[in-house]
mmCIF file of all heavy atoms in Angstrom:
data_model
loop_
_atom_site.group_PDB
_atom_site.id
_atom_site.type_symbol
_atom_site.label_atom_id
_atom_site.label_comp_id
_atom_site.label_asym_id
_atom_site.label_seq_id
_atom_site.Cartn_x
_atom_site.Cartn_y
_atom_site.Cartn_z
ATOM 1 N N ILE A 154 -33.754 10.542 3.852
ATOM 2 C CA ILE A 154 -32.783 11.176 2.952
ATOM 3 C C ILE A 154 -31.420 11.289 3.638
ATOM 4 O O ILE A 154 -30.371 11.046 3.023
ATOM 5 C CB ILE A 154 -33.298 12.557 2.503
ATOM 6 C CG1 ILE A 154 -34.558 12.384 1.643
ATOM 7 C CG2 ILE A 154 -32.230 13.307 1.719
ATOM 8 C CD1 ILE A 154 -35.196 13.692 1.228
ATOM 9 N N LEU A 155 -31.406 11.651 4.905
ATOM 10 C CA LEU A 155 -30.146 11.750 5.633
ATOM 11 C C LEU A 155 -29.432 10.397 5.717
ATOM 12 O O LEU A 155 -28.202 10.319 5.588
ATOM 13 C CB LEU A 155 -30.400 12.297 7.042
ATOM 14 C CG LEU A 155 -30.702 13.795 7.136
ATOM 15 C CD1 LEU A 155 -31.123 14.169 8.551
ATOM 16 C CD2 LEU A 155 -29.505 14.622 6.700
ATOM 17 N N GLN A 156 -30.193 9.343 5.912
ATOM 18 C CA GLN A 156 -29.582 8.012 5.949
ATOM 19 C C GLN A 156 -28.957 7.659 4.606
ATOM 20 O O GLN A 156 -27.848 7.098 4.549
ATOM 21 C CB GLN A 156 -30.631 6.963 6.329
ATOM 22 C CG GLN A 156 -31.158 7.090 7.747
ATOM 23 C CD GLN A 156 -32.218 6.048 8.046
ATOM 24 O OE1 GLN A 156 -32.039 4.865 7.801
ATOM 25 N NE2 GLN A 156 -33.344 6.508 8.571
ATOM 26 N N PHE A 157 -29.627 7.987 3.527
ATOM 27 C CA PHE A 157 -29.086 7.700 2.195
ATOM 28 C C PHE A 157 -27.818 8.511 1.939
ATOM 29 O O PHE A 157 -26.830 7.993 1.388
ATOM 30 C CB PHE A 157 -30.146 8.009 1.138
ATOM 31 C CG PHE A 157 -29.744 7.619 -0.254
ATOM 32 C CD1 PHE A 157 -30.028 6.355 -0.751
ATOM 33 C CD2 PHE A 157 -29.064 8.512 -1.077
ATOM 34 C CE1 PHE A 157 -29.657 5.988 -2.033
ATOM 35 C CE2 PHE A 157 -28.685 8.158 -2.360
ATOM 36 C CZ PHE A 157 -28.979 6.889 -2.841
ATOM 37 N N ILE A 158 -27.835 9.788 2.350
ATOM 38 C CA ILE A 158 -26.646 10.637 2.162
ATOM 39 C C ILE A 158 -25.462 10.079 2.943
ATOM 40 O O ILE A 158 -24.331 10.000 2.414
ATOM 41 C CB ILE A 158 -26.959 12.078 2.590
ATOM 42 C CG1 ILE A 158 -27.974 12.721 1.630
ATOM 43 C CG2 ILE A 158 -25.692 12.917 2.632
ATOM 44 C CD1 ILE A 158 -28.450 14.083 2.052
ATOM 45 N N GLU A 159 -25.684 9.677 4.176
ATOM 46 C CA GLU A 159 -24.596 9.136 4.993
ATOM 47 C C GLU A 159 -24.028 7.864 4.378
ATOM 48 O O GLU A 159 -22.805 7.664 4.345
ATOM 49 C CB GLU A 159 -25.120 8.862 6.408
ATOM 50 C CG GLU A 159 -24.048 8.630 7.451
ATOM 51 C CD GLU A 159 -23.564 7.188 7.482
ATOM 52 O OE1 GLU A 159 -24.349 6.304 7.045
ATOM 53 O OE2 GLU A 159 -22.433 6.935 7.929
ATOM 54 N N GLN A 160 -24.895 7.029 3.840
ATOM 55 C CA GLN A 160 -24.428 5.783 3.216
ATOM 56 C C GLN A 160 -23.595 6.069 1.966
ATOM 57 O O GLN A 160 -22.523 5.493 1.770
ATOM 58 C CB GLN A 160 -25.635 4.902 2.875
ATOM 59 C CG GLN A 160 -25.263 3.599 2.172
ATOM 60 C CD GLN A 160 -26.487 2.796 1.792
ATOM 61 O OE1 GLN A 160 -27.616 3.138 2.158
ATOM 62 N NE2 GLN A 160 -26.279 1.731 1.049
ATOM 63 N N ARG A 161 -24.053 6.967 1.123
ATOM 64 C CA ARG A 161 -23.344 7.266 -0.119
ATOM 65 C C ARG A 161 -22.030 8.000 0.162
ATOM 66 O O ARG A 161 -21.023 7.769 -0.522
ATOM 67 C CB ARG A 161 -24.231 8.109 -1.031
ATOM 68 C CG ARG A 161 -25.434 7.374 -1.557
ATOM 69 C CD ARG A 161 -25.059 6.255 -2.527
ATOM 70 N NE ARG A 161 -24.512 6.792 -3.764
ATOM 71 C CZ ARG A 161 -23.348 6.444 -4.303
ATOM 72 N NH1 ARG A 161 -22.562 5.560 -3.678
ATOM 73 N NH2 ARG A 161 -22.932 6.964 -5.437
ATOM 74 N N PHE A 162 -21.995 8.855 1.172
ATOM 75 C CA PHE A 162 -20.742 9.527 1.520
ATOM 76 C C PHE A 162 -19.693 8.516 1.986
ATOM 77 O O PHE A 162 -18.501 8.645 1.662
ATOM 78 C CB PHE A 162 -20.990 10.567 2.613
ATOM 79 C CG PHE A 162 -21.516 11.877 2.089
ATOM 80 C CD1 PHE A 162 -21.954 12.000 0.781
ATOM 81 C CD2 PHE A 162 -21.574 12.995 2.908
ATOM 82 C CE1 PHE A 162 -22.437 13.208 0.297
ATOM 83 C CE2 PHE A 162 -22.050 14.208 2.434
ATOM 84 C CZ PHE A 162 -22.490 14.310 1.123
ATOM 85 N N CYS A 163 -20.115 7.528 2.765
ATOM 86 C CA CYS A 163 -19.178 6.486 3.205
ATOM 87 C C CYS A 163 -18.650 5.694 2.020
ATOM 88 O O CYS A 163 -17.452 5.352 1.953
ATOM 89 C CB CYS A 163 -19.861 5.559 4.205
ATOM 90 S SG CYS A 163 -20.200 6.316 5.804
ATOM 91 N N GLU A 164 -19.525 5.381 1.061
ATOM 92 C CA GLU A 164 -19.096 4.615 -0.110
ATOM 93 C C GLU A 164 -18.129 5.408 -0.982
ATOM 94 O O GLU A 164 -17.216 4.833 -1.590
ATOM 95 C CB GLU A 164 -20.326 4.195 -0.938
ATOM 96 C CG GLU A 164 -21.242 3.204 -0.228
ATOM 97 C CD GLU A 164 -22.516 2.933 -0.997
ATOM 98 O OE1 GLU A 164 -22.705 3.596 -2.058
ATOM 99 O OE2 GLU A 164 -23.332 2.095 -0.568
ATOM 100 N N GLU A 165 -18.289 6.727 -1.046
ATOM 101 C CA GLU A 165 -17.444 7.568 -1.891
ATOM 102 C C GLU A 165 -16.295 8.213 -1.105
ATOM 103 O O GLU A 165 -15.590 9.064 -1.658
ATOM 104 C CB GLU A 165 -18.303 8.669 -2.541
ATOM 105 C CG GLU A 165 -19.405 8.139 -3.455
ATOM 106 C CD GLU A 165 -18.855 7.424 -4.686
ATOM 107 O OE1 GLU A 165 -17.707 7.734 -5.085
ATOM 108 O OE2 GLU A 165 -19.585 6.581 -5.248
ATOM 109 N N ASN A 166 -16.127 7.812 0.164
ATOM 110 C CA ASN A 166 -15.039 8.330 1.011
ATOM 111 C C ASN A 166 -15.071 9.854 1.141
ATOM 112 O O ASN A 166 -14.042 10.525 1.096
ATOM 113 C CB ASN A 166 -13.672 7.884 0.471
ATOM 114 C CG ASN A 166 -13.491 6.377 0.535
ATOM 115 O OD1 ASN A 166 -13.919 5.740 1.500
ATOM 116 N ND2 ASN A 166 -12.870 5.807 -0.490
ATOM 117 N N ILE A 167 -16.259 10.377 1.274
ATOM 118 C CA ILE A 167 -16.422 11.813 1.523
ATOM 119 C C ILE A 167 -16.605 12.002 3.020
ATOM 120 O O ILE A 167 -17.519 11.441 3.629
ATOM 121 C CB ILE A 167 -17.612 12.379 0.738
ATOM 122 C CG1 ILE A 167 -17.333 12.281 -0.769
ATOM 123 C CG2 ILE A 167 -17.886 13.823 1.137
ATOM 124 C CD1 ILE A 167 -18.469 12.770 -1.632
ATOM 125 N N GLU A 168 -15.752 12.813 3.610
ATOM 126 C CA GLU A 168 -15.708 12.935 5.067
ATOM 127 C C GLU A 168 -16.610 14.062 5.545
ATOM 128 O O GLU A 168 -16.638 15.147 4.970
ATOM 129 C CB GLU A 168 -14.262 13.210 5.506
ATOM 130 C CG GLU A 168 -14.103 13.356 7.013
ATOM 131 C CD GLU A 168 -12.685 13.698 7.403
ATOM 132 O OE1 GLU A 168 -11.819 13.739 6.501
ATOM 133 O OE2 GLU A 168 -12.446 13.944 8.600
ATOM 134 N N ILE A 169 -17.352 13.755 6.605
ATOM 135 C CA ILE A 169 -18.125 14.779 7.317
ATOM 136 C C ILE A 169 -17.287 15.185 8.515
ATOM 137 O O ILE A 169 -17.086 14.391 9.444
ATOM 138 C CB ILE A 169 -19.493 14.240 7.760
ATOM 139 C CG1 ILE A 169 -20.323 13.838 6.529
ATOM 140 C CG2 ILE A 169 -20.248 15.283 8.581
ATOM 141 C CD1 ILE A 169 -21.664 13.235 6.857
ATOM 142 N N PRO A 170 -16.711 16.384 8.545
ATOM 143 C CA PRO A 170 -15.672 16.722 9.532
ATOM 144 C C PRO A 170 -16.234 17.043 10.908
ATOM 145 O O PRO A 170 -17.410 17.386 11.064
ATOM 146 C CB PRO A 170 -15.015 17.953 8.916
ATOM 147 C CG PRO A 170 -16.144 18.612 8.186
ATOM 148 C CD PRO A 170 -17.016 17.504 7.648
ATOM 149 N N PHE A 171 -15.346 16.936 11.892
ATOM 150 C CA PHE A 171 -15.621 17.444 13.228
ATOM 151 C C PHE A 171 -15.213 18.919 13.275
ATOM 152 O O PHE A 171 -14.397 19.380 12.475
ATOM 153 C CB PHE A 171 -14.821 16.659 14.270
ATOM 154 C CG PHE A 171 -15.227 15.212 14.363
ATOM 155 C CD1 PHE A 171 -14.476 14.230 13.740
ATOM 156 C CD2 PHE A 171 -16.354 14.850 15.069
ATOM 157 C CE1 PHE A 171 -14.843 12.897 13.827
ATOM 158 C CE2 PHE A 171 -16.732 13.521 15.165
ATOM 159 C CZ PHE A 171 -15.977 12.543 14.545
ATOM 160 N N PRO A 172 -15.746 19.683 14.207
ATOM 161 C CA PRO A 172 -15.300 21.078 14.346
ATOM 162 C C PRO A 172 -13.803 21.152 14.650
ATOM 163 O O PRO A 172 -13.283 20.364 15.441
ATOM 164 C CB PRO A 172 -16.128 21.597 15.521
ATOM 165 C CG PRO A 172 -17.318 20.709 15.565
ATOM 166 C CD PRO A 172 -16.863 19.361 15.112
ATOM 167 N N GLN A 173 -13.099 22.068 13.995
ATOM 168 C CA GLN A 173 -11.661 22.222 14.174
ATOM 169 C C GLN A 173 -11.361 23.614 14.734
ATOM 170 O O GLN A 173 -11.948 24.603 14.307
ATOM 171 C CB GLN A 173 -10.926 22.030 12.848
ATOM 172 C CG GLN A 173 -11.130 20.649 12.229
ATOM 173 C CD GLN A 173 -10.451 20.527 10.887
ATOM 174 O OE1 GLN A 173 -9.705 21.424 10.495
ATOM 175 N NE2 GLN A 173 -10.689 19.425 10.198
ATOM 176 N N ARG A 174 -10.426 23.658 15.695
ATOM 177 C CA ARG A 174 -10.043 24.923 16.302
ATOM 178 C C ARG A 174 -8.519 25.003 16.380
ATOM 179 O O ARG A 174 -7.846 24.004 16.637
ATOM 180 C CB ARG A 174 -10.619 25.049 17.725
ATOM 181 C CG ARG A 174 -12.138 25.066 17.783
ATOM 182 C CD ARG A 174 -12.700 26.347 17.183
ATOM 183 N NE ARG A 174 -14.146 26.395 17.319
ATOM 184 C CZ ARG A 174 -14.990 25.949 16.416
ATOM 185 N NH1 ARG A 174 -14.513 25.387 15.302
ATOM 186 N NH2 ARG A 174 -16.290 26.037 16.605
ATOM 187 N N ASP A 175 -7.948 26.192 16.140
ATOM 188 C CA ASP A 175 -6.511 26.429 16.290
ATOM 189 C C ASP A 175 -6.242 26.981 17.687
ATOM 190 O O ASP A 175 -6.904 27.929 18.143
ATOM 191 C CB ASP A 175 -6.008 27.438 15.248
ATOM 192 C CG ASP A 175 -6.089 26.858 13.837
ATOM 193 O OD1 ASP A 175 -6.022 25.622 13.727
ATOM 194 O OD2 ASP A 175 -6.226 27.644 12.883
ATOM 195 N N LEU A 176 -5.236 26.401 18.398
ATOM 196 C CA LEU A 176 -4.908 26.795 19.756
ATOM 197 C C LEU A 176 -3.606 27.596 19.733
ATOM 198 O O LEU A 176 -2.569 27.108 19.259
ATOM 199 C CB LEU A 176 -4.745 25.557 20.643
ATOM 200 C CG LEU A 176 -4.409 25.821 22.112
ATOM 201 C CD1 LEU A 176 -5.519 26.636 22.782
ATOM 202 C CD2 LEU A 176 -4.187 24.503 22.855
ATOM 203 N N HIS A 177 -3.637 28.819 20.206
ATOM 204 C CA HIS A 177 -2.470 29.692 20.258
ATOM 205 C C HIS A 177 -2.067 29.898 21.714
ATOM 206 O O HIS A 177 -2.880 30.338 22.534
ATOM 207 C CB HIS A 177 -2.777 31.052 19.608
ATOM 208 C CG HIS A 177 -3.148 30.944 18.155
ATOM 209 N ND1 HIS A 177 -2.216 30.871 17.154
ATOM 210 C CD2 HIS A 177 -4.373 30.872 17.551
ATOM 211 C CE1 HIS A 177 -2.821 30.776 15.989
ATOM 212 N NE2 HIS A 177 -4.142 30.779 16.207
ATOM 213 N N LEU A 178 -0.771 29.594 22.053
ATOM 214 C CA LEU A 178 -0.263 29.744 23.409
ATOM 215 C C LEU A 178 0.663 30.957 23.495
ATOM 216 O O LEU A 178 1.537 31.133 22.640
ATOM 217 C CB LEU A 178 0.502 28.482 23.839
ATOM 218 C CG LEU A 178 -0.330 27.195 23.941
ATOM 219 C CD1 LEU A 178 0.580 26.029 24.294
ATOM 220 C CD2 LEU A 178 -1.420 27.343 24.970
ATOM 221 N N LYS A 179 0.481 31.767 24.483
ATOM 222 C CA LYS A 179 1.402 32.875 24.711
ATOM 223 C C LYS A 179 2.701 32.352 25.329
ATOM 224 O O LYS A 179 2.773 31.231 25.830
ATOM 225 C CB LYS A 179 0.757 33.904 25.632
ATOM 226 C CG LYS A 179 -0.457 34.588 25.023
ATOM 227 C CD LYS A 179 -1.024 35.632 25.965
ATOM 228 C CE LYS A 179 -2.217 36.332 25.339
ATOM 229 N NZ LYS A 179 -2.799 37.336 26.243
ATOM 230 N N LEU A 180 3.754 33.206 25.339
ATOM 231 C CA LEU A 180 5.067 32.777 25.820
ATOM 232 C C LEU A 180 5.005 32.372 27.286
ATOM 233 O O LEU A 180 5.558 31.350 27.690
ATOM 234 C CB LEU A 180 6.080 33.906 25.626
ATOM 235 C CG LEU A 180 7.516 33.609 26.103
ATOM 236 C CD1 LEU A 180 8.073 32.394 25.383
ATOM 237 C CD2 LEU A 180 8.420 34.818 25.896
ATOM 238 N N LYS A 181 4.347 33.152 28.123
ATOM 239 C CA LYS A 181 4.278 32.835 29.538
ATOM 240 C C LYS A 181 3.565 31.507 29.747
ATOM 241 O O LYS A 181 3.954 30.689 30.582
ATOM 242 C CB LYS A 181 3.559 33.952 30.295
ATOM 243 C CG LYS A 181 4.342 35.261 30.335
ATOM 244 C CD LYS A 181 3.600 36.304 31.139
ATOM 245 C CE LYS A 181 4.389 37.608 31.199
ATOM 246 N NZ LYS A 181 3.686 38.653 31.988
ATOM 247 N N ASP A 182 2.486 31.294 28.982
ATOM 248 C CA ASP A 182 1.773 30.023 29.106
ATOM 249 C C ASP A 182 2.667 28.867 28.704
ATOM 250 O O ASP A 182 2.649 27.796 29.317
ATOM 251 C CB ASP A 182 0.507 30.043 28.237
ATOM 252 C CG ASP A 182 -0.474 31.105 28.706
ATOM 253 O OD1 ASP A 182 -0.442 31.423 29.915
ATOM 254 O OD2 ASP A 182 -1.252 31.605 27.876
ATOM 255 N N ALA A 183 3.486 29.055 27.672
ATOM 256 C CA ALA A 183 4.384 27.986 27.227
ATOM 257 C C ALA A 183 5.426 27.682 28.293
ATOM 258 O O ALA A 183 5.788 26.520 28.530
ATOM 259 C CB ALA A 183 5.056 28.385 25.917
ATOM 260 N N GLN A 184 5.951 28.724 28.965
ATOM 261 C CA GLN A 184 6.932 28.501 30.017
ATOM 262 C C GLN A 184 6.326 27.748 31.195
ATOM 263 O O GLN A 184 6.960 26.868 31.788
ATOM 264 C CB GLN A 184 7.499 29.844 30.476
ATOM 265 C CG GLN A 184 8.359 30.552 29.427
ATOM 266 C CD GLN A 184 8.781 31.940 29.881
ATOM 267 O OE1 GLN A 184 8.321 32.429 30.921
ATOM 268 N NE2 GLN A 184 9.667 32.552 29.104
ATOM 269 N N ILE A 185 5.110 28.074 31.532
ATOM 270 C CA ILE A 185 4.450 27.368 32.633
ATOM 271 C C ILE A 185 4.270 25.900 32.288
ATOM 272 O O ILE A 185 4.514 25.004 33.112
ATOM 273 C CB ILE A 185 3.103 28.035 32.944
ATOM 274 C CG1 ILE A 185 3.320 29.439 33.504
ATOM 275 C CG2 ILE A 185 2.300 27.202 33.931
ATOM 276 C CD1 ILE A 185 2.050 30.232 33.709
ATOM 277 N N LEU A 186 3.852 25.644 31.049
ATOM 278 C CA LEU A 186 3.667 24.258 30.634
ATOM 279 C C LEU A 186 4.990 23.497 30.645
ATOM 280 O O LEU A 186 5.047 22.314 30.992
ATOM 281 C CB LEU A 186 3.024 24.215 29.236
ATOM 282 C CG LEU A 186 1.576 24.712 29.147
ATOM 283 C CD1 LEU A 186 1.099 24.707 27.681
ATOM 284 C CD2 LEU A 186 0.644 23.828 29.971
ATOM 285 N N LYS A 187 6.119 24.193 30.250
ATOM 286 C CA LYS A 187 7.424 23.533 30.249
ATOM 287 C C LYS A 187 7.837 23.160 31.674
ATOM 288 O O LYS A 187 8.358 22.082 31.929
ATOM 289 C CB LYS A 187 8.464 24.441 29.601
ATOM 290 C CG LYS A 187 9.848 23.810 29.432
ATOM 291 C CD LYS A 187 10.771 24.746 28.702
ATOM 292 C CE LYS A 187 12.125 24.074 28.468
ATOM 293 N NZ LYS A 187 12.741 23.632 29.729
ATOM 294 N N ARG A 188 7.612 24.068 32.635
ATOM 295 C CA ARG A 188 7.952 23.779 34.023
ATOM 296 C C ARG A 188 7.142 22.589 34.546
ATOM 297 O O ARG A 188 7.663 21.741 35.274
ATOM 298 C CB ARG A 188 7.702 25.007 34.884
ATOM 299 C CG ARG A 188 8.664 26.158 34.605
ATOM 300 C CD ARG A 188 8.302 27.372 35.421
ATOM 301 N NE ARG A 188 9.145 28.526 35.098
ATOM 302 C CZ ARG A 188 8.972 29.738 35.627
ATOM 303 N NH1 ARG A 188 7.972 29.944 36.492
ATOM 304 N NH2 ARG A 188 9.782 30.720 35.289
ATOM 305 N N LEU A 189 5.858 22.549 34.181
ATOM 306 C CA LEU A 189 5.024 21.425 34.610
ATOM 307 C C LEU A 189 5.525 20.126 34.019
ATOM 308 O O LEU A 189 5.543 19.079 34.685
ATOM 309 C CB LEU A 189 3.553 21.663 34.218
ATOM 310 C CG LEU A 189 2.837 22.815 34.946
ATOM 311 C CD1 LEU A 189 1.428 22.996 34.367
ATOM 312 C CD2 LEU A 189 2.751 22.518 36.445
ATOM 313 N N ALA A 190 5.938 20.180 32.730
ATOM 314 C CA ALA A 190 6.467 18.966 32.094
ATOM 315 C C ALA A 190 7.763 18.523 32.760
ATOM 316 O O ALA A 190 7.998 17.327 32.980
ATOM 317 C CB ALA A 190 6.679 19.213 30.610
#
């Protein structure tokens, strides 16, 4: 059943997503990264 679902999702362009995370940087961390750059 899983194989059939994967095949039909590909045919219908339905995406199975990867885990998504939002990254928040504090000001001090941003300054350190700027100096490194």
Side-chain angles (χ1 to χ4, degrees):
I154 294 176
L155 285 172
Q156 293 178 50
F157 186 90
I158 292 174
E159 195 276 336
Q160 178 183 353
R161 292 292 292 127
F162 278 11
C163 290
E164 294 173 356
E165 298 295 335
N166 295 322
I167 295 178
E168 180 183 356
I169 298 177
F171 295 100
Q173 299 177 8
R174 297 291 184 268
D175 293 333
L176 181 61
H177 299 277
L178 296 177
K179 295 182 179 179
L180 179 59
K181 292 182 179 180
D182 297 333
Q184 292 174 353
I185 293 174
L186 292 176
K187 185 176 183 303
R188 291 176 184 176
L189 293 175

